[in-house]
Amino acid sequence: MLQQTPVARVLPVWLEWMARWPAPKALAAEPPGEAVRHWGRLGYPRRALRLHACAKAIVAEHDGQVPSDHATLLALPGIGEYTAAAVASFAYGGRHAVLDTNVRRVFARAVRAEEYPPTATSAAERRLAEALLPELGAARWGVAVMELGALVCTARSPRCADCPIAGACAWRLAGKPPHAGPARKGQSYAGTDRQCRGRLLAVLRSAHGPVPKAALDAVWDEPIQRERALDGLITDGLAEHLDDGTYRLPHA
């Protein structure tokens, strides 16, 4: 839930999920559409489907217990390097480098004297993060660097005067050279297929059963874009088109 989504938006949804599905077995027993429904407006709803698939795999392959081994976690549906490292480290105390956006920015500035990290995580970043991991307390270290990036070494207004490592920060000592790569642009949303998909999915989430096509047509005026977005939801497994022409969240 926290991938690409702020804590303030995640927290109420996470609390609802924990109350409803306190263990993988509880989530796995529900249709995948319920995971999509209760994902709400967090964005990137395919993550809800992956989380449901992950819960089913944990029940089927690991007796309902979330694995502690990093490699085993990576083999689960929807689990990538970041999530596997985070679970193995924060839940089980393993020694793994957890590289989120905040951590990558701290390392870029403090070690490489760069304002921002590359767009995609590089092998060099992973090697650096692993080299910096302490032998003991790696999980606490990971949380500390995350918090440093989230609260102090922020993307737009870093609070260097409050930073505990300001005296050793390569970027600050170099005079804070500006980012040399392509301009960093925020993602547009209004009028995009993503917004259209969100409107259509909101109709399906609010209905506890199939909905007629007219109910979906009513929330987006541009028919070509609307049909493209609806086809995309079906292809991604986020919606189902029934034989009677109605639509619903996935049941299987």
CSV table of all heavy atoms in Angstrom, one decimal, residues 1 10-24 26-27 38 51:
chain,number,residue,atom,x,y,z
A,1,MET,N,0.8,-1.2,0.0
A,1,MET,CA,0.0,0.0,0.0
A,1,MET,C,0.9,1.3,0.0
A,1,MET,O,0.5,2.3,-0.6
A,1,MET,CB,-0.9,0.0,1.2
A,1,MET,CG,-2.1,-1.0,1.2
A,1,MET,SD,-3.1,-0.9,2.7
A,1,MET,CE,-4.4,-2.1,2.3
A,10,VAL,N,-2.7,6.0,3.2
A,10,VAL,CA,-2.7,4.6,3.4
A,10,VAL,C,-3.3,4.2,4.7
A,10,VAL,O,-4.0,3.2,4.8
A,10,VAL,CB,-1.2,4.0,3.3
A,10,VAL,CG1,-1.1,2.6,3.8
A,10,VAL,CG2,-0.8,4.1,1.8
A,11,LEU,N,-3.0,5.0,5.8
A,11,LEU,CA,-3.3,4.5,7.2
A,11,LEU,C,-4.8,4.1,7.4
A,11,LEU,O,-5.0,3.0,7.9
A,11,LEU,CB,-2.9,5.6,8.2
A,11,LEU,CG,-3.1,5.2,9.6
A,11,LEU,CD1,-2.2,3.9,10.0
A,11,LEU,CD2,-2.6,6.4,10.5
A,12,PRO,N,-5.8,4.9,7.0
A,12,PRO,CA,-7.1,4.5,7.2
A,12,PRO,C,-7.5,3.2,6.5
A,12,PRO,O,-8.3,2.4,7.0
A,12,PRO,CB,-8.0,5.7,6.8
A,12,PRO,CG,-7.1,6.5,5.9
A,12,PRO,CD,-5.7,6.3,6.4
A,13,VAL,N,-7.0,3.0,5.2
A,13,VAL,CA,-7.3,1.8,4.5
A,13,VAL,C,-6.6,0.6,5.1
A,13,VAL,O,-7.2,-0.4,5.2
A,13,VAL,CB,-6.8,2.0,3.0
A,13,VAL,CG1,-7.2,0.8,2.2
A,13,VAL,CG2,-7.5,3.3,2.4
A,14,TRP,N,-5.4,0.8,5.5
A,14,TRP,CA,-4.6,-0.3,6.2
A,14,TRP,C,-5.3,-0.7,7.4
A,14,TRP,O,-5.5,-2.0,7.7
A,14,TRP,CB,-3.2,0.2,6.5
A,14,TRP,CG,-2.4,-0.9,7.1
A,14,TRP,CD1,-1.8,-1.9,6.5
A,14,TRP,CD2,-2.1,-1.0,8.5
A,14,TRP,NE1,-1.1,-2.7,7.5
A,14,TRP,CE2,-1.3,-2.2,8.7
A,14,TRP,CE3,-2.5,-0.2,9.7
A,14,TRP,CZ2,-0.9,-2.6,10.0
A,14,TRP,CZ3,-2.0,-0.6,10.9
A,14,TRP,CH2,-1.2,-1.8,11.1
A,15,LEU,N,-5.8,0.2,8.2
A,15,LEU,CA,-6.5,-0.2,9.5
A,15,LEU,C,-7.8,-1.0,9.2
A,15,LEU,O,-8.1,-1.9,9.9
A,15,LEU,CB,-6.8,1.1,10.3
A,15,LEU,CG,-5.7,1.8,10.9
A,15,LEU,CD1,-6.1,3.1,11.5
A,15,LEU,CD2,-5.0,1.0,12.0
A,16,GLU,N,-8.5,-0.6,8.1
A,16,GLU,CA,-9.7,-1.3,7.7
A,16,GLU,C,-9.3,-2.7,7.3
A,16,GLU,O,-10.0,-3.7,7.7
A,16,GLU,CB,-10.4,-0.6,6.6
A,16,GLU,CG,-11.7,-1.3,6.1
A,16,GLU,CD,-12.3,-0.8,4.8
A,16,GLU,OE1,-11.8,0.3,4.4
A,16,GLU,OE2,-13.1,-1.5,4.3
A,17,TRP,N,-8.3,-2.8,6.5
A,17,TRP,CA,-7.8,-4.2,6.0
A,17,TRP,C,-7.4,-5.1,7.2
A,17,TRP,O,-7.8,-6.2,7.2
A,17,TRP,CB,-6.7,-4.0,5.0
A,17,TRP,CG,-7.1,-3.8,3.6
A,17,TRP,CD1,-7.9,-2.8,3.2
A,17,TRP,CD2,-6.7,-4.6,2.5
A,17,TRP,NE1,-8.0,-2.9,1.8
A,17,TRP,CE2,-7.3,-4.0,1.4
A,17,TRP,CE3,-5.9,-5.7,2.4
A,17,TRP,CZ2,-7.1,-4.5,0.1
A,17,TRP,CZ3,-5.7,-6.3,1.1
A,17,TRP,CH2,-6.3,-5.7,0.0
A,18,MET,N,-6.7,-4.5,8.1
A,18,MET,CA,-6.2,-5.3,9.3
A,18,MET,C,-7.4,-5.8,10.1
A,18,MET,O,-7.4,-6.9,10.7
A,18,MET,CB,-5.2,-4.5,10.1
A,18,MET,CG,-3.9,-4.3,9.4
A,18,MET,SD,-3.0,-5.8,9.0
A,18,MET,CE,-3.5,-6.0,7.3
A,19,ALA,N,-8.4,-4.9,10.2
A,19,ALA,CA,-9.6,-5.4,11.0
A,19,ALA,C,-10.4,-6.4,10.3
A,19,ALA,O,-10.9,-7.4,10.9
A,19,ALA,CB,-10.5,-4.1,11.3
A,20,ARG,N,-10.5,-6.3,8.9
A,20,ARG,CA,-11.2,-7.3,8.1
A,20,ARG,C,-10.5,-8.5,7.8
A,20,ARG,O,-11.0,-9.6,7.8
A,20,ARG,CB,-11.6,-6.6,6.8
A,20,ARG,CG,-12.5,-7.4,5.9
A,20,ARG,CD,-12.9,-6.7,4.6
A,20,ARG,NE,-13.7,-7.4,3.8
A,20,ARG,CZ,-15.1,-7.3,3.7
A,20,ARG,NH1,-15.7,-6.5,4.5
A,20,ARG,NH2,-15.8,-8.1,2.9
A,21,TRP,N,-9.2,-8.4,7.5
A,21,TRP,CA,-8.3,-9.5,7.1
A,21,TRP,C,-7.0,-9.5,7.9
A,21,TRP,O,-6.0,-9.1,7.4
A,21,TRP,CB,-8.0,-9.4,5.6
A,21,TRP,CG,-9.2,-9.4,4.7
A,21,TRP,CD1,-10.2,-10.3,4.8
A,21,TRP,CD2,-9.5,-8.5,3.7
A,21,TRP,NE1,-11.2,-10.0,3.8
A,21,TRP,CE2,-10.8,-8.9,3.1
A,21,TRP,CE3,-8.9,-7.4,3.2
A,21,TRP,CZ2,-11.4,-8.2,2.1
A,21,TRP,CZ3,-9.5,-6.7,2.1
A,21,TRP,CH2,-10.7,-7.1,1.6
A,22,PRO,N,-7.1,-10.0,9.2
A,22,PRO,CA,-5.9,-9.9,10.0
A,22,PRO,C,-4.8,-10.9,9.6
A,22,PRO,O,-3.6,-10.7,10.1
A,22,PRO,CB,-6.4,-10.2,11.4
A,22,PRO,CG,-7.7,-11.0,11.1
A,22,PRO,CD,-8.2,-10.5,9.9
A,23,ALA,N,-5.1,-11.8,8.8
A,23,ALA,CA,-4.1,-12.8,8.4
A,23,ALA,C,-4.3,-13.2,6.9
A,23,ALA,O,-5.4,-13.0,6.4
A,23,ALA,CB,-4.2,-14.1,9.2
A,24,PRO,N,-3.3,-13.7,6.2
A,24,PRO,CA,-3.4,-14.1,4.8
A,24,PRO,C,-4.6,-15.0,4.6
A,24,PRO,O,-5.3,-14.9,3.5
A,24,PRO,CB,-2.1,-14.8,4.5
A,24,PRO,CG,-1.1,-14.1,5.4
A,24,PRO,CD,-1.9,-13.9,6.7
A,26,ALA,N,-7.5,-15.1,5.9
A,26,ALA,CA,-8.8,-14.4,5.8
A,26,ALA,C,-9.0,-13.7,4.5
A,26,ALA,O,-10.1,-13.7,3.9
A,26,ALA,CB,-8.9,-13.3,7.0
A,27,LEU,N,-7.9,-13.1,4.0
A,27,LEU,CA,-8.0,-12.4,2.7
A,27,LEU,C,-8.2,-13.5,1.6
A,27,LEU,O,-9.0,-13.3,0.6
A,27,LEU,CB,-6.7,-11.6,2.4
A,27,LEU,CG,-6.6,-10.9,1.1
A,27,LEU,CD1,-7.8,-10.0,0.8
A,27,LEU,CD2,-5.3,-10.1,1.0
A,38,HIS,N,-12.0,-2.8,-1.4
A,38,HIS,CA,-11.5,-2.2,-0.2
A,38,HIS,C,-10.2,-1.6,-0.3
A,38,HIS,O,-9.6,-1.0,0.6
A,38,HIS,CB,-11.5,-3.3,1.0
A,38,HIS,CG,-12.9,-3.7,1.4
A,38,HIS,ND1,-13.6,-3.0,2.3
A,38,HIS,CD2,-13.6,-4.7,1.0
A,38,HIS,CE1,-14.8,-3.6,2.4
A,38,HIS,NE2,-14.8,-4.6,1.7
A,51,LEU,N,-1.9,-8.6,-4.1
A,51,LEU,CA,-1.9,-8.9,-2.7
A,51,LEU,C,-2.8,-10.1,-2.4
A,51,LEU,O,-2.5,-11.0,-1.6
A,51,LEU,CB,-2.3,-7.7,-1.9
A,51,LEU,CG,-2.1,-7.7,-0.4
A,51,LEU,CD1,-0.7,-8.1,0.0
A,51,LEU,CD2,-2.5,-6.3,0.2
